[in-house]
Amino acid sequence: MALHVTQDELDSVVEIERNVSKHLSVVNDIFSWEKEVLASNTGHEEGSVLCSSVQVMAAEAEIETAAAKRVLWSMCREWERRHTELEAAKKKEKPAPSEATLTYIKGLEYQISGNEQWSETTKRYMNLPEFQQQTATA
């Protein structure tokens, strides 16, 4: 695919990119949580520090990690809704955004959905006994 977006066009979608980045990061944190906990418990001390939105949400809200994941899923759904709003607003701008800009924005949407679908189906996260146990009780 030969998509050419200028720097000015990229600058005009920074808010959309930030919104997408939040979604991508949090979905990754939700799905990788058990793997990261396992690594922190079995890995080298220097490379095994947990840093995850799941942990932060659980600690700040004083809730269990399963509850933190549910809250984070709700946030992801809101970021998806926000993406749709930002895309609609961009389409109404004058002058109208280029076709390349709109295609880029649609590509960001596909990145969100692709990341979630991949995370739901990859053996990278699904092979962990802790995941199977957490999923059954969540």
Side-chain angles (χ1 to χ4, degrees):
M1 173 180 208
L3 182 64
H4 301 284
V5 184
T6 69
Q7 187 60 52
D8 286 342
E9 290 169 321
L10 288 173
D11 292 345
S12 78
V13 296
V14 167
E15 186 177 4
I16 297 171
E17 289 177 328
R18 286 183 182 147
N19 186 66
V20 168
S21 294
K22 289 182 249 183
H23 189 285
L24 294 173
S25 297
V26 170
V27 166
N28 179 68
D29 284 355
I30 292 168
F31 278 102
S32 66
W33 173 250
E34 283 76 15
K35 184 175 183 170
E36 291 179 20
V37 169
L38 181 63
S40 75
N41 291 333
T42 60
H44 189 273
E45 183 178 315
E46 289 182 14
S48 300
V49 176
L50 277 172
C51 180
S52 169
S53 59
V54 174
Q55 178 186 30
V56 172
M57 178 61 69
E60 291 300 313
E62 298 178 356
I63 56 178
E64 298 294 324
T65 57
K69 286 181 175 186
R70 290 189 297 271
V71 170
L72 291 168
W73 273 123
S74 293
M75 292 174 69
C76 287
R77 297 305 172 241
E78 289 301 318
W79 289 321
E80 291 165 11
R81 184 190 57 72
R82 181 72 178 138
H83 181 86
T84 302
E85 291 173 352
L86 292 169
E87 179 182 29
K90 176 57 80 176
K91 288 178 179 179
K92 292 178 182 176
E93 285 183 359
K94 300 293 182 209
S98 70
E99 199 58 39
T101 300
L102 296 176
T103 300
Y104 179 74
I105 293 168
K106 185 56 71 175
L108 292 172
E109 179 182 327
Y110 293 151
Q111 188 175 11
I112 289 172
S113 62
N115 179 57
E116 186 170 332
Q117 179 64 30
W118 179 84
S119 297
E120 287 177 345
T121 59
T122 183
K123 290 182 181 180
R124 177 180 188 171
Y125 301 140
M126 303 305 162
N127 284 357
L128 301 170
E130 292 83 2
F131 176 83
Q132 294 160 352
Q133 179 183 0
Q134 280 265 353
T135 304
T137 60

